[in-house]
Amino acid sequence: MSDTHAQTVAFVRQEMLPEQPPPASEQGVIKWMRQNLFDGWLNTLLTVLSLYFIYKIVAGAWPWFANGIWTTSSLAECRELLEGGVGACFSVLTERWNQLLFGFKYPPDQYWRPTLAFVLLLIAMAPVLFSKKFPRQMFIFTGLFPFIAFWLIWGGSLLTPLVALLGFVAGYVAFKKFEYQSFAMGMIAGLLATVIVWWLGGFITGAAPGFMALEAVPSRDLGGFMLNIILGTVCVSLSLPIGILLALGRQSDMIIIKWICVVFIEFIRGVPLITLLFVANVVLAYFLPPGTNFDLVLRVIIMITMFSSAYIAEVIRGGLAALPRGQYEAADSLGLDYAQSTRLIIMPQALKISIPGIVNVAVGLFKDTVLVSVISMFDLVGMIRGPILASTEWNGVYWELWGFAVLLFFVVCYGISQYSQWLERELATDHR
């Protein structure tokens, strides 16, 4: 073979063949169905049975939804229009939506106030839940939101929430000023500054009760799903920091603080929530001076917060126990004191471990807010069981009302659950 022919014949391919698409059974929807629905004869059988039951449920329930009535003013009119057929009477939702959402005593011309407070709640929560996606300046509005929401929902003079805000600001400034001496000294100074500002502010609010005042709405007039949102949001927000303090107190080396936290946690966890609500509604009044007006919603918030904080404390204690001893030793080797090591090293890791348990307590707490209906508070369930079903127009409507309540609670609880799973994935730095 000549040299020229040897140079023109190649035994190694110099160009890559173009990529070929995978088979149709190994991509897209078909691949997903093979892996998740028809992977073996047992999964195929379960899939077919599941589809059969889903079909039976949808086929049976669809006429009830499709033939639903939305425009009548009573159950009797619904039945007349249905003429003995199958169909839902959704008219109760269009007729009583305002009572289901806001209660039957909240002034109808003031519905814009709790609606605006709910929209502002979503804005205030955004930088807390998605801190990496929002500027840090938005945390200022998050801190102001509780005072704005109180003014919007309850009304009255704007000076009341302003004085409360100034009290917290003064307490924080005093705490930071004395924190370098000791953490306990900072806490005492902060509490004293807050109490003094609130005491002085009482004279100011009394002198100008009409400053930018909205129509006052007493707590007894709050109701509907709005009341469930208020109780759930406030109690979850308060129970988390209190639960952290209880968990740290239970692990403290100071015997008195440790046993106070232990007794509190074990007592609260051993008592049903409904008994605490009865205590808030009835028994607590016997321990107050005669003529004292202690707001019922505030009493309920205190009891529910105590209940949930005890459970959150145990969840966080489990997260603290799961941390290896080396984390504590690393904090000591850096020369950090107890407050610094807990805030910067220990607690962030413990909270990360405790996310599923904390979310579980939060979801359970939000659902347990319906228990306030047993102490004559007209939340969503109280409105359904009381004024709506007791009326002659809608006596006998059950599935539509309870289905609406289920839908509202499911949307909120499912949203909380999905956020917690997203947060776990975002914080899973050790698996990346």
Side-chain angles (χ1 to χ4, degrees), residues 203-254:
F203 298 101
I204 300 175
T205 56
F211 177 75
M212 296 185 66
L214 295 174
E215 179 183 345
V217 179
S219 295
R220 274 292 184 181
D221 293 348
L222 302 181
F225 194 61
M226 172 184 64
L227 182 58
N228 297 110
I229 291 290
I230 292 173
L231 294 177
T233 304
V234 174
C235 294
V236 169
S237 302
L238 294 177
S239 61
L240 182 58
I242 296 175
I244 292 174
L245 294 178
L246 289 172
L248 295 175
R250 184 161 188 167
Q251 290 192 330
S252 175
D253 295 331
M254 293 180 283

Side-chain angles (χ1 to χ4, degrees), residues 59-255:
W62 176 249
W64 187 77
F65 286 99
N67 300 328
I69 306 297
W70 296 84
T71 57
T72 61
S73 59
S74 67
L75 178 60
E77 293 184 24
C78 284
R79 290 173 176 172
E80 289 179 4
L81 291 177
L82 290 173
E83 297 179 349
V86 177
C89 187
F90 293 122
S91 299
V92 66
L93 302 180
T94 57
E95 186 77 11
R96 299 294 182 96
W97 66 268
N98 54 339
Q99 296 182 4
L100 291 170
L101 296 181
F102 303 105
F104 68 99
K105 289 185 178 182
Y106 204 90
D109 59 336
Q110 302 294 318
Y111 285 162
W112 65 271
R113 288 160 48 181
T115 304
L116 178 60
F118 178 74
V119 175
L120 295 179
L121 171 65
L122 299 180
I123 299 175
M125 290 171 56
V128 177
L129 301 180
F130 308 99
S131 58
K132 296 181 180 179
K133 302 181 183 297
F134 292 90
R136 298 184 63 86
Q137 290 78 6
M138 286 192 65
F139 281 99
I140 299 176
F141 178 76
T142 303
L144 296 175
F145 170 76
F147 308 96
I148 299 174
F150 175 84
W151 178 60
L152 286 174
I153 295 175
W154 275 271
S157 174
L158 182 61
L159 285 177
T160 301
L162 282 178
V163 168
L165 174 61
L166 290 176
F168 283 110
V169 172
Y172 177 76
V173 172
F175 170 77
K176 297 300 291 184
K177 186 174 182 61
F178 290 92
E179 182 187 16
Y180 72 95
Q181 297 183 6
S182 70
F183 184 80
M185 181 67 71
M187 290 293 295
I188 295 174
L191 289 174
L192 287 176
T194 301
V195 171
I196 292 173
V197 171
W198 286 350
W199 179 70
L200 295 175
F203 298 101
I204 300 175
T205 56
F211 177 75
M212 296 185 66
L214 295 174
E215 179 183 345
V217 179
S219 295
R220 274 292 184 181
D221 293 348
L222 302 181
F225 194 61
M226 172 184 64
L227 182 58
N228 297 110
I229 291 290
I230 292 173
L231 294 177
T233 304
V234 174
C235 294
V236 169
S237 302
L238 294 177
S239 61
L240 182 58
I242 296 175
I244 292 174
L245 294 178
L246 289 172
L248 295 175
R250 184 161 188 167
Q251 290 192 330
S252 175
D253 295 331
M254 293 180 283
I255 301 299

Side-chain angles (χ1 to χ4, degrees), residues 41 55 63 95 108 196 221 236 271 305 372 384 396 425:
W41 68 269
Y55 167 76
E95 186 77 11
I196 292 173
D221 293 348
V236 169
V271 176
T305 301
V372 299
I384 294 175
R425 292 192 296 268

Side-chain angles (χ1 to χ4, degrees), residues 239-287:
S239 61
L240 182 58
I242 296 175
I244 292 174
L245 294 178
L246 289 172
L248 295 175
R250 184 161 188 167
Q251 290 192 330
S252 175
D253 295 331
M254 293 180 283
I255 301 299
I256 297 178
I257 293 179
K258 177 178 180 179
W259 279 105
I260 289 176
C261 295
V262 169
V263 170
F264 176 85
I265 292 172
E266 297 302 329
F267 174 77
I268 295 297
R269 291 175 68 222
V271 176
L273 176 59
I274 195 169
T275 60
L276 297 178
L277 295 178
F278 276 115
V279 169
N281 186 38
V282 180
V283 181
L284 195 61
Y286 292 106
F287 297 94

Side-chain angles (χ1 to χ4, degrees), residues 308-322:
S308 59
S309 61
Y311 282 87
I312 289 181
E314 287 299 282
V315 172
I316 295 176
R317 187 170 69 91
L320 292 171

